[in-house]
Amino acid sequence: MFRRAINFRIPNAVIQFRTLLCFSNEKGPVRNHDNSLSKRTFQTQASSYLLEDISPDDPVVNDLFNGLTEGKRASLARSITLVESTNPHKKAQGQMLLTKVLKRPRTNPDLKNTFRIGLSGPPGAGKSTFIERFGKFLTSQGQKVAVLAVDPSSSTTGGSLLGDKTRMPELSCDMNAYIRPSPTSGNLGGVARSTNEAIVLCEGAGYNYILVETVGVGQSEYAVADMVDMFCLLIPPAGGDELQGIKKGIVEMADVIVINKSDGDLMPAARRIQTEYSSALRLLRLRSKTWRPKVTRISSKTGDGITQLWDIMEDYLEVMTTSGELVHKREKQRTIWMWNQIKDNILHLFQQHPAVRAKYSSLEEKVLSGVITPGFAADVLLKEFSRVES
């Protein structure tokens, strides 16, 4: 145990903090003379959080892959559970399974004959009811539909209700549909970390229409836009005026805005908000060179407007496919999610770093007591994390 002085300067003053750093050379990691982790120790610690070497002939991977190609729902459920796991060995198996699925020959290797649709909106907009109605509409036409519904995780217990299936009783019993609820596990943006990989697995199991329902708790729930072909925003008739619409960052990400619950006494309000949002969209910069976002009204209760909405979706798919934008969009999305995965894994590696774990408790206490600033504590931890022998 020893004391070390940490100095930093601010204008006209030099403030010195003495932090008590505790290390045990007998039981702790091997360190250099300046107390930094040795390269070998760091590599040993890091290797447990990086992918292991998994053989393509791994029995678990082969069993799941064969089940996916045969369209077995149980194999799809087990596969998604595998890619959601944080266990290093299972995580490596999941990545090998994804690799085999992606290498599987397709009729159209660029678009893979699938249509990915993201659905977001505020609580009470009727997202689950809409998916029930829209999903049955698709399966009635002989299509196979996979629904990836994301539930918010509790900040207290970490658990999720995962009750989306209870709002889709008919679709849950449809053999041409598969519904998978997943927890956010603290991830921002309304989707789970592994949702992008679950989409690939659903496509590998033969589902050609993938519906991704976000948490829908605020104006920033549009991370799903970076993993789907078309982003639909569902709003209730009382969604605010056109100024409120412009203020919502999620509106400018939408390819189509759907006014749900357009029936009964809410019909006049639905017509009014459709007009207002149509005006709001004219003031926003277009994200696509070939598609202008549209606003339409539907009733998930009666089914009115579902056919018109599907016509809009088909027009979108035709326009984006013909122009080549859809291929480019999917290519860009793969890059975005590569970097998202890197950020998640680096944060996990940082939190598990021995030097960081040895210091963060004492630094947190000093931040709580106001002795040092959060920024200074972060700098100390980052410096210790980077002090690895080159």
Side-chain angles (χ1 to χ4, degrees), residues 138-204:
L138 292 176
T139 57
S140 67
Q141 297 182 353
Q143 307 295 345
K144 297 192 67 176
V145 180
V147 179
L148 301 176
V150 183
D151 270 3
S153 297
S154 169
S155 59
T156 303
T157 65
S160 298
L161 290 176
L162 303 180
D164 292 272
K165 282 190 176 182
T166 61
R167 296 177 178 174
M168 309 174 195
E170 294 184 19
L171 193 61
S172 299
C173 300
D174 196 320
M175 293 307 296
N176 284 327
Y178 174 79
I179 303 175
R180 171 75 181 207
S182 299
T184 59
S185 302
N187 290 286
L188 299 177
V191 290
R193 177 189 61 81
S194 57
T195 301
N196 193 52
E197 297 170 338
I199 291 175
V200 175
L201 294 175
C202 290
E203 292 175 347

Side-chain angles (χ1 to χ4, degrees), residues 50-102:
L50 301 179
L51 290 180
E52 300 178 9
D53 291 329
I54 299 295
S55 169
D57 297 325
D58 182 270
V60 173
V61 174
N62 277 338
D63 179 58
L64 292 177
F65 178 74
N66 292 332
L68 286 176
T69 57
E70 296 171 5
K72 294 182 179 178
R73 297 160 65 92
S75 295
L76 177 57
R78 290 173 55 205
S79 298
I80 296 177
T81 300
L82 190 67
V83 299
E84 288 179 344
S85 175
T86 56
N87 178 278
H89 182 71
K90 292 182 179 180
K91 186 176 180 181
Q93 288 178 320
Q95 293 303 316
M96 178 56 68
L97 175 62
L98 287 166
T99 300
K100 297 190 70 170
V101 171
L102 289 173

Side-chain angles (χ1 to χ4, degrees), residues 359-372 377 381:
K359 290 186 178 182
Y360 71 75
S361 295
S362 61
L363 289 175
E364 277 185 349
E365 293 178 1
K366 290 177 171 57
V367 170
L368 289 173
S369 61
V371 177
I372 60 176
L381 293 176

Side-chain angles (χ1 to χ4, degrees), residues 24-30:
S24 172
N25 291 329
E26 295 179 356
K27 297 182 180 181
V30 178

Side-chain angles (χ1 to χ4, degrees), residues 44-346:
T44 301
Q45 293 288 340
S47 63
S48 62
Y49 307 108
L50 301 179
L51 290 180
E52 300 178 9
D53 291 329
I54 299 295
S55 169
D57 297 325
D58 182 270
V60 173
V61 174
N62 277 338
D63 179 58
L64 292 177
F65 178 74
N66 292 332
L68 286 176
T69 57
E70 296 171 5
K72 294 182 179 178
R73 297 160 65 92
S75 295
L76 177 57
R78 290 173 55 205
S79 298
I80 296 177
T81 300
L82 190 67
V83 299
E84 288 179 344
S85 175
T86 56
N87 178 278
H89 182 71
K90 292 182 179 180
K91 186 176 180 181
Q93 288 178 320
Q95 293 303 316
M96 178 56 68
L97 175 62
L98 287 166
T99 300
K100 297 190 70 170
V101 171
L102 289 173
K103 288 182 178 180
R104 182 185 175 190
R106 304 296 177 95
T107 304
N108 187 337
D110 292 327
L111 300 182
K112 302 176 183 176
N113 295 325
T114 62
F115 192 18
R116 308 168 181 176
I117 303 172
L119 301 165
S120 187
K127 295 187 294 296
S128 297
T129 307
F130 166 74
I131 291 175
E132 165 93 338
R133 174 73 68 167
F134 185 61
K136 290 297 294 182
F137 171 79
L138 292 176
T139 57
S140 67
Q141 297 182 353
Q143 307 295 345
K144 297 192 67 176
V145 180
V147 179
L148 301 176
V150 183
D151 270 3
S153 297
S154 169
S155 59
T156 303
T157 65
S160 298
L161 290 176
L162 303 180
D164 292 272
K165 282 190 176 182
T166 61
R167 296 177 178 174
M168 309 174 195
E170 294 184 19
L171 193 61
S172 299
C173 300
D174 196 320
M175 293 307 296
N176 284 327
Y178 174 79
I179 303 175
R180 171 75 181 207
S182 299
T184 59
S185 302
N187 290 286
L188 299 177
V191 290
R193 177 189 61 81
S194 57
T195 301
N196 193 52
E197 297 170 338
I199 291 175
V200 175
L201 294 175
C202 290
E203 292 175 347
Y207 293 90
N208 52 343
Y209 286 89
I210 316 297
L211 307 181
V212 184
E213 179 192 1
T214 72
V215 171
V217 295
Q219 297 183 177
S220 62
E221 305 301 312
Y222 51 79
V224 67
D226 289 326
M227 63 174 66
V228 296
D229 302 325
M230 186 178 201
F231 180 40
C232 299
L233 174 63
L234 270 70
I235 57 176
D241 55 20
E242 75 175 90
L243 178 59
Q244 183 66 20
I246 296 174
K247 286 167 56 181
K248 295 181 179 178
I250 196 171
V251 170
E252 63 183 4
M253 304 296 294
D255 298 305
V256 60
I257 297 178
V258 181
I259 314 298
N260 199 10
K261 303 184 179 181
S262 301
D263 51 54
D265 295 338
L266 293 175
M267 183 64 77
R271 291 195 183 101
R272 176 178 54 82
I273 197 173
Q274 180 183 15
T275 302
E276 291 176 345
Y277 269 78
S278 297
S279 300
L281 288 176
R282 296 191 187 99
L283 303 176
L284 299 178
R285 178 179 298 177
L286 296 178
R287 297 193 304 119
S288 170
K289 297 179 181 179
T290 57
W291 177 259
R292 178 176 291 275
K294 302 183 185 301
V295 184
T296 188
R297 290 181 287 109
I298 68 163
S299 171
S300 297
K301 181 179 179 181
T302 65
D304 292 340
I306 295 293
T307 302
Q308 290 78 2
L309 174 60
W310 177 239
D311 290 339
I312 293 175
M313 290 181 172
E314 285 190 314
D315 289 342
Y316 174 87
L317 185 59
E318 177 65 26
V319 168
M320 295 292 284
T321 303
T322 303
S323 66
E325 258 192 271
L326 192 53
V327 174
H328 177 70
K329 187 174 185 178
R330 288 197 176 184
E331 291 172 348
K332 184 178 179 181
Q333 288 173 351
R334 288 193 286 267
T335 304
I336 291 173
W337 280 92
M338 179 191 74
W339 285 108
N340 286 341
Q341 293 283 358
I342 290 173
K343 286 189 290 186
D344 290 342
N345 289 330
I346 286 180

